[in-house]
Amino acid sequence: MKAVIFDMDGVLFDTEKLAVKCWDEIGVKCSLGKVGYMVMKTLGRTREESVKIFEKEFGDKFNNDVFQKEYAAWLDEYYSKNPVPVKEGVFEVLEYLKAEGYKTAVASSSSKSSVLHHLENAKITGYFDKIICGDMVEKSKPEPDIYLTACKALGEKPQDCFAVEDSKSGLLSAKRAGCRVIYIPDLYTAESEKEYDIKFNTLNSFLNVLKALHR
């Protein structure tokens, strides 16, 4: 394997649990009730795709402009006081991959501005050779576009790349692209072992296997 491609939310950063808390609070404020459960329905989707899912769920009660305004304000307030929550093992695995000469990329359905904010906040932007975001591809996860684009940008065939994912749509996207899929659970629990190639409970477990392969 020559490269490792990482999803962002739920893999590099513990932002999915944060989104549940946020959406619960602003859902009540927007008269929708606690809508944190919608995080599970939109994992791995672009903002545009997520809006469609919300509209299907809540109909005319959902006002996207108001929701996005409240969402942005909530996050601004949170990040003014707190760093982006980094998942266990992120710094260690990225440092190891860099030292061993692996190519690395981020393949996130989030917007470019959101991805760059999180990576820069955690001071890990420089570890990645390529950064592919949801607004840089035509079709979002679970379609394979974002992983195919990442592999092409890295100059590697999909079968020579690990894809590290946590969501159903992300796992399916990486599988469809032909990558070797690493599943590290966060909020989503895989329904079948067919959804991935290898499962690790943490990034540190993945790192230990990589080190073993190099002995």
Side-chain angles (χ1 to χ4, degrees):
M1 307 304 287
K2 301 176 181 178
V4 183
I5 305 171
F6 294 88
D7 174 46
M8 185 180 76
D9 294 301
V11 171
L12 297 176
F13 302 111
D14 201 11
T15 43
E16 291 175 356
K17 296 181 182 70
L18 183 63
V20 172
K21 175 178 172 61
C22 173
W23 287 8
D24 270 346
E25 292 185 14
I26 64 176
V28 171
K29 195 171 183 179
C30 294
S31 301
L32 298 172
K34 292 185 176 182
V35 298
Y37 69 92
M38 291 296 290
V39 170
M40 289 297 297
K41 294 191 175 187
T42 57
L43 285 180
R45 303 301 186 101
T46 62
R47 176 175 292 184
E48 291 74 18
E49 289 287 333
S50 297
V51 169
K52 292 178 182 178
I53 294 170
F54 264 82
E55 290 174 339
K56 183 177 180 180
E57 183 84 4
F58 299 106
D60 294 339
K61 291 174 61 180
F62 177 69
N63 185 316
N64 183 56
D65 291 338
V66 173
F67 192 88
Q68 293 299 339
K69 183 179 179 179
E70 293 290 344
Y71 186 26
W74 195 99
L75 290 178
D76 285 345
E77 173 69 14
Y78 179 87
Y79 288 129
S80 70
K81 301 175 181 177
N82 304 279
V84 177
V86 180
K87 297 281 279 191
E88 177 187 349
V90 166
F91 299 108
E92 293 84 354
V93 74
L94 291 177
E95 188 63 37
Y96 181 80
L97 292 171
K98 182 178 181 179
E100 292 296 328
Y102 282 87
K103 296 179 182 179
T104 55
V106 171
S108 171
S109 295
S110 295
S111 65
K112 185 176 181 179
S113 60
S114 177
V115 172
L116 292 179
H117 169 270
H118 286 15
L119 297 180
E120 289 167 6
N121 185 276
K123 296 180 173 57
I124 59 173
T125 311
Y127 284 102
F128 298 101
D129 299 297
K130 300 294 178 181
I131 298 171
I132 311 300
C133 310
D135 45 13
M136 297 168 65
V137 294
E138 183 178 352
K139 297 180 181 179
S140 66
K141 301 174 185 178
E143 298 305 319
D145 298 39
I146 197 164
Y147 277 104
L148 291 174
T149 300
C151 292
K152 184 176 181 179
L154 290 173
E156 299 294 344
K157 297 177 181 178
Q159 59 265 33
D160 293 329
C161 300
F162 283 121
V164 187
E165 272 286 357
D166 70 300
S167 70
K168 184 177 182 66
S169 59
L171 293 170
L172 186 54
S173 175
K175 270 285 190 181
R176 288 175 171 173
C179 297
R180 187 78 179 274
V181 184
I182 303 296
Y183 168 50
I184 300 180
D186 189 49
L187 294 184
Y188 172 69
T189 301
E191 299 165 0
S192 168
E193 292 183 359
K194 294 180 180 179
E195 294 181 62
Y196 55 87
D197 294 298
I198 310 171
K199 175 183 175 181
F200 296 107
N201 290 326
T202 66
L203 282 170
N204 280 331
S205 297
F206 176 39
L207 174 58
N208 290 336
V209 170
L210 287 175
K211 288 181 177 179
L213 291 174
H214 284 274
R215 287 172 188 161

